[in-house]
Structure formats: structure tokens, C-alpha cells
Amino acid sequence: MSLEQIKKRLNSFLASDTPEVIAIKGPWGIGKTFAWNRILKDAKKRGGIKLGKYAYVSLFGIDSIKDIKLSIFENSVGGGLIGESPTITTLESNAISTIGSYGRKCLSHVFGTGFFKQYVYDYPSAAFLSVNKCIVCIDDLERRGSPLRDRDVYGLVSLLKEQRECKVVLIFNETELKECEYEKFREKILDSEILFDPTTAELAEIAYPSSGDIYDYLKEAAIDLGVKNIRILKIAEKFVRDIESLLSHCKKSVLRNIVRKILLYVQCNYKSDDSYPDLEFALNMNHRAARFLDKDGVDDKYNEWNRLLSRYEFGGLGDLDLALASFVSKGWVDEFEMKRHASSIDRYEEINSRMESYQNAWNAYHNSFDNNTREIVNAMFHGCADNIDIISVDQLGQGISLLRQLGEEEKADFLIDTYIKSQRSKIEGFNPGDSFFRRELDGKFLAAIQDVRSSRLDERSLEDVLEKIVNDKGFGESEKEYLLRLSEDEYYSFFKSYSGEKLYFYVKACLMYKGFVDAPDEGGPTGSKIENALKRIAKESKINRLRVQGLGVKLDE
């Protein structure tokens, strides 16, 4: 039965005053109660409810028929309050007048006084006498207290229909009923039965009836992820709303990405079975290494999780992902960090948008065998030149190589000159050995980069380089190149001239990486420039000999 058919059937139920019992059953979390309340309120707005009173009762934890009767009485409301929670605003009026305006809940206070308890021993049953011609919704049948039997509830339902002229709605998860009495009694008490199992698209519409970008993104994400739990959808909505003001500056593409990730993280964090990965798995790229290939020996569950994340287009992880996941798991957000990470993603999206012209040039190259050399040359040149301030060294290098292979030397050299002049600070931090794709750069381009980097290296002192190595507890290619260029005399002069508490750490840093700074001496065997410099210092005095030995350097006897 489609959602529209369900709405039509329930609206027909509400529009009649004929006593009847209807059951709404479906899986846990599918939105049965949520949908019923929505349909009830919509019917009230258009005047589509025939009976003038309504009571909603959840059997969660209720242990006796007496408690059900009292709960029905307490939660009865009428007129404009149908579909709203009953309230007690005053006890100044007498019980009768309050019944008419606000429902019956306040009367329980009157019955609960010592006077009435003395003369009315079973006041819940006495109060229940006033329940008639009422729509009664009994929810959570499967969560009733253990002393309460199904058959007792069904007996009360029959009484409401047959003797009190009520219309009764039963809402439950059939698979979770503790006793197998439903099938036995359904024919005796039910007039009709609805299996509530909407599609993911229908459930998304139920959960998110509002319009706007955020709700469009939530609906799209819910469908793509296959979420069929109304609670998950509403929790995700709350998380998105909580940080909506922090994301007001974001582009739509960034906002969409954030909404999709929040829904995924909520589903992972609140999952009730293995249909979805846990949050740790989703955030751990090592666990997800199998996502591109089903591997033997990898749990089928993990392979399925990887396929699900791939279908959902869940990509690489960054600081924003970790901040969003922390927000979902902890329930609070660092507003400054969230804004900062969102801004960085916003910038990333802007770069991607601008780089479309560069990508289109490669698409023209890869996607056909047309004789379109001139078209590709122009597209690649402008794709690189127009984005010279944001293009990466790898991307520019690939473009330059293609242009040169197509005989466009002037265009390739122009791009190199333009990039070197305008992006010097970026080049200084670039290390050809760290190129993600490990492609060999164009020779002229690489030489130009190395010239810039060499001039930067010449500006640094040995102390600057050693300080960086000590702080980073390691060294990069630029530090390696710097140390390789120094002579034994330069190491000797530095060790002798430097004085301070960091000398020990600087020398140890040099010794730790001495294997990388060995170079063949002309006409002689390979030796360690650093150790030779220290051995020269050791020969100068007995105390220096002890100092050098203390650093772990082996000295000749």
C-alpha cells in the first residue's frame, strides 16, 4: 500500500463516526506514529475529523488495564486540541468545566484527593466511564509491561468499540509482540489492517515536509543512503539545524556535502544492526582500503560497508569530516573550528569550480580519437594560464608536458615563466619527490623549480635547518638537500662556533641523519663529513675528546 493510499484510508477512518478498529503495523522506526500524527493534524486543519474527542496512549511500561483506562481518560482532549499534547493550566475551575476545555487530565488530581479516594475506591474505572465517542490511539503494544497480557488489551479495545462507540487505532511492531496472540484475536477485533512500510523517498517526505535547500539535501541524502528510520532522519535534521547559522556563508555545494555527511554519521552512530558501518569504520581509511576491490580474507560485512560508502559517494576525509563526526558523537560543536573548516572546504569547492576549464581540456584529449589538436592545445593553455594562481605543480606539469609533446614550446615556456614569477612562495615549499602522482616533470619546469628552491636554501642557516629537524623529529627532502651541500669544514665551523643548550640536540640530529649526508671525497674513500668534523674537534683537547665520545662517536685510540 502506497503512502497516498494509506493517507486516503486513514482520512476515511477519521471522517466517519462509525465505531471501528484499525491496526497500523510496521518495522521499528519506520515512522508509523509520526505519520499518524501528521495525518491527524492535517485532517483537523481541514475539518476532516468527525468525532470531537481524541486520546493518545503509549503502552510503554504500562502494567495493567486500570492504568490504560486512566491514561486514556487523562489524555483525552477535544475540539481544537486534537493532535496536541494535553495540558493542565489551572485547577481553579471545577472538574466538569475543565473536561470540556482542556481534556480530562486535571480530573485525576481531583479524584486523587483523599476525599474522593475514600468514597471512590477505583477512581480510574470511574473516570473511564466518561470515555465515549472518542478516537483512541493505542501505541507501542509490543512495549507493554510484562504483567499486562495482549488479550486484556484486545478486550479493552473491543469494549471501546462495542460499548463506548469509539474509533480505535492500534500501532505496533508485529515482530516484537511478546506473545503470539495477535493472529488469534485480530479477526475478532479488527475491521482493517495497514502495513506501514513506505519507500525511502516516501519516508523522507514524511520526515521533511518543509521546502528549502537543507530539506532538499536531507531528502536526497536519505534516499541515496536508504535510511528507513524516522528517528535517524529527525536526529540528523536537528544536528543540521544546530549548525545552520555557522554555514550561512557556504556555497550550496559545500552545504549539500555537509548535510550528506551529517546524515551518514548519524546513521553510523545510532545504528541498531550491521546494515550500516559504525562511525569508526567510516572515518578510518585503513579499514576502508578494500572499498575499491573486494579482497579475499576481508569480512563480507566490511566489503558491503565499503560498497555502501562508495555508492553514497563518500570521499576522502579532512578536518571538517572529523569535526562533524565529533559533533554527532559528542553532541556539541566547536563553532570556531566548524566555521574555519567549512571555509576551507568552501575555498576548495571554489578551486574545483574554476579548474573545470583545465579538466575539460583533458576530457577533450581522453574522450575521443578526433583530429582536434588545435582545440586541445588552446583549451590546455588557457586552462593552465587562467588558473595559474590555484593550479598545483603536478597539474601544471602535466599540462606543460602535453603542450611540449604537441610541439608548443613557446606556450609551455610561457606557462613556466608565468608560474615561477607569480607563485614563488608556493614553489619554495614544493618538493618534487613528494608529488602525489610521482609523474616526471618537464625538464625545464623542474630545473626552474630547483633554481627557486636552491635560492631559498641558500638563505637559511644551518641552525635554521637543524632547528626544524629537531622540532619535526624528522627531516624532509629540503633539509636532506641542504645537509648534503655542506662541507666538513662548514660542519666543523658550526659546531665550534655554536654555544648553548641546543648544541647537544643539533649534533645528535646531525649524527642521526649522517647516513644521508655522506659523499665521496675526491680521490679517497667515502667518509662521514659530520663525524670527521667532530673527530677534528676531539683532537683539540682532552675535554673535547670526552664530549665527542659522549655523543656516541667512536674515536681512534
Side-chain angles (χ1 to χ4, degrees):
M1 185 179 286
S2 70
L3 182 59
E4 285 304 315
Q5 290 172 318
I6 292 173
K7 287 180 179 179
K8 183 177 180 180
R9 176 65 189 90
L10 291 177
N11 282 325
S12 175
F13 172 84
L14 292 169
S16 166
D17 60 1
T18 303
E20 61 180 315
V21 179
I22 189 169
I24 304 174
K25 64 179 185 178
W28 181 85
I30 201 67
K32 302 180 293 296
T33 305
F34 192 91
W36 161 253
N37 287 332
R38 176 67 52 75
I39 293 169
L40 182 70
K41 289 181 179 180
D42 289 345
K44 183 190 73 173
K45 288 179 182 178
R46 64 172 186 275
I49 301 177
K50 185 70 172 179
L51 295 181
K53 294 181 290 185
Y54 173 71
Y56 171 84
V57 177
S58 170
L59 298 192
F60 187 40
I62 290 185
D63 294 330
S64 70
I65 289 295
K66 182 186 296 185
D67 289 339
I68 299 177
K69 290 179 177 179
L70 180 60
S71 186
I72 292 173
F73 171 79
E74 289 182 326
N75 289 284
S76 293
V77 295
L81 293 179
I82 289 180
E84 307 295 335
S85 298
T87 60
I88 304 173
T89 59
T90 179
L91 288 178
E92 294 178 358
S93 303
N94 63 47
I96 300 301
S97 61
T98 308
I99 290 173
S101 302
Y102 295 96
R104 319 297 180 81
K105 184 171 285 189
C106 64
L107 192 56
S108 67
H109 290 269
V110 179
F111 277 124
T113 63
F115 175 79
F116 277 96
K117 283 188 176 181
Q118 180 179 355
Y119 292 98
V120 185
Y121 174 75
D122 191 2
Y123 70 97
S125 296
F128 185 68
L129 290 174
S130 65
V131 176
N132 63 86
K133 293 185 179 181
C134 177
I135 301 170
V136 179
C137 177
I138 299 178
D139 199 358
D140 298 318
L141 178 59
E142 72 279 9
R143 295 184 177 185
R144 57 177 171 68
S146 54
L148 183 62
R149 299 179 304 173
D150 283 354
R151 64 176 60 195
D152 297 329
V153 178
Y154 301 145
L156 179 62
V157 169
S158 179
L159 181 148
L160 286 168
K161 173 191 172 183
E162 302 295 340
Q163 300 181 27
R164 302 300 179 83
E165 301 182 85
C166 292
K167 301 179 75 70
V168 182
V169 181
L170 291 174
I171 301 178
F172 58 90
N173 179 355
E174 183 181 8
T175 60
E176 294 295 324
L177 289 178
K178 299 174 184 177
E179 301 174 8
C180 301
E181 294 192 308
Y182 176 70
E183 293 297 327
K184 179 179 178 180
F185 287 96
R186 63 191 292 234
E187 180 270 332
K188 294 180 175 62
I189 64 168
L190 291 186
D191 294 288
S192 59
E193 184 179 63
I194 293 174
L195 174 61
F196 190 82
D197 191 16
T199 65
T200 52
E202 289 175 331
L203 190 60
E205 286 294 336
I206 294 172
Y208 308 131
S210 302
S211 59
D213 289 338
I214 283 181
Y215 286 107
D216 290 342
Y217 301 148
L218 281 168
K219 291 174 189 176
E220 175 196 45
I223 294 169
D224 290 348
L225 194 57
V227 179
K228 294 196 71 174
N229 187 314
I230 195 77
R231 296 175 181 84
I232 295 297
L233 297 179
K234 299 306 289 184
I235 291 171
E237 178 188 7
K238 182 181 183 304
F239 276 117
V240 171
R241 283 299 184 191
D242 283 347
I243 62 171
E244 183 180 9
S245 62
L246 305 180
L247 309 174
S248 58
H249 65 285
C250 291
K251 295 181 175 62
K252 288 187 176 182
S253 57
V254 176
L255 182 60
R256 173 182 177 271
N257 188 35
I258 289 174
V259 169
R260 289 177 66 85
K261 288 186 174 181
I262 286 179
L263 180 60
L264 172 65
Y265 296 154
V266 168
Q267 176 64 80
C268 292
N269 192 53
Y270 292 92
K271 69 171 192 167
S272 58
D273 56 40
D274 283 340
S275 300
Y276 292 90
D278 51 46
L279 197 53
E280 179 186 4
F281 182 94
L283 295 174
N284 192 319
M285 291 302 293
N286 291 328
H287 288 173
R288 295 169 52 210
R291 71 177 300 173
F292 301 107
L293 180 67
D294 289 345
K295 297 183 177 180
D296 294 336
V298 176
D299 194 310
D300 287 342
K301 173 179 64 177
Y302 296 152
N303 279 329
E304 184 54 40
W305 288 352
N306 280 323
R307 288 191 288 270
L308 182 148
L309 294 173
S310 181
R311 290 193 300 269
Y312 193 61
E313 299 179 352
F314 180 61
L317 299 171
D319 292 336
L320 179 60
D321 295 86
L322 299 178
L324 291 172
S326 175
F327 172 42
V328 168
S329 62
K330 295 179 180 178
W332 58 271
V333 62
D334 184 325
E335 294 189 5
F336 174 79
E337 287 298 304
M338 186 67 70
K339 286 182 179 178
R340 185 171 67 85
H341 296 323
S343 296
S344 67
I345 296 296
D346 216 32
R347 171 62 175 163
Y348 174 78
E349 291 287 331
E350 179 184 349
I351 290 174
N352 279 350
S353 177
R354 284 185 55 189
M355 288 294 290
E356 282 186 11
S357 59
Y358 171 83
Q359 187 58 50
N360 289 339
W362 282 113
N363 291 340
Y365 174 75
H366 287 296
N367 295 346
S368 79
F369 287 108
D370 295 342
N371 185 15
N372 55 348
T373 302
R374 183 51 45 198
E375 173 193 345
I376 292 172
V377 166
N378 289 334
M380 184 59 69
F381 176 75
H382 289 292
C384 292
D386 294 346
N387 298 298
I388 204 74
D389 60 321
I390 59 174
I391 197 169
S392 71
V393 171
D394 263 324
Q395 290 169 326
L396 182 58
Q398 294 169 50
I400 289 171
S401 294
L402 179 62
L403 290 172
R404 207 176 294 286
Q405 290 173 49
L406 294 176
E408 299 291 335
E409 299 287 339
E410 290 186 7
K411 283 183 169 58
D413 291 343
F414 176 85
L415 291 174
I416 292 173
D417 292 342
T418 303
Y419 190 79
I420 294 298
K421 291 176 182 177
S422 64
Q423 304 298 310
R424 184 179 181 86
S425 61
K426 184 185 297 184
I427 297 169
E428 289 177 346
F430 175 71
N431 173 19
D434 292 339
S435 175
F436 179 77
F437 293 104
R438 297 293 188 267
R439 291 187 173 96
E440 185 173 337
L441 291 178
D442 174 79
K444 286 187 178 180
F445 190 29
L446 181 59
I449 289 174
Q450 289 175 331
D451 285 344
V452 172
R453 295 185 70 252
S454 294
S455 65
R456 173 181 176 267
L457 291 173
D458 291 340
E459 295 170 359
R460 292 191 295 174
S461 67
L462 177 55
E463 182 179 353
D464 293 334
V465 173
L466 292 177
E467 180 70 16
K468 188 175 188 305
I469 292 173
V470 170
N471 290 336
D472 293 350
K473 297 182 175 59
F475 66 99
E477 288 295 323
S478 63
E479 286 72 47
K480 173 183 173 180
E481 290 178 9
Y482 188 99
L483 297 179
L484 279 169
R485 292 173 50 252
L486 297 183
S487 66
E488 178 184 316
D489 288 340
E490 288 174 303
Y491 282 113
Y492 174 84
S493 297
F494 175 77
F495 294 150
K496 287 288 292 182
S497 62
Y498 188 88
S499 177
E501 59 183 10
K502 292 186 177 181
L503 176 62
Y504 171 83
F505 299 103
Y506 289 163
V507 175
K508 292 296 287 187
C510 288
L511 290 172
M512 185 180 300
Y513 302 112
K514 69 182 179 65
F516 294 105
V517 295
D518 285 347
D521 296 327
E522 290 188 9
T526 299
S528 170
K529 295 180 286 186
I530 293 172
E531 285 195 348
N532 287 341
L534 290 170
K535 287 177 181 179
R536 285 168 57 184
I537 293 173
K539 291 178 181 180
E540 294 175 353
S541 65
K542 289 183 178 181
I543 192 167
N544 277 350
R545 181 181 178 86
L546 292 174
R547 287 168 174 159
V548 172
Q549 283 180 321
L551 291 168
V553 179
K554 293 183 179 180
L555 302 175
D556 297 332
E557 296 295 335

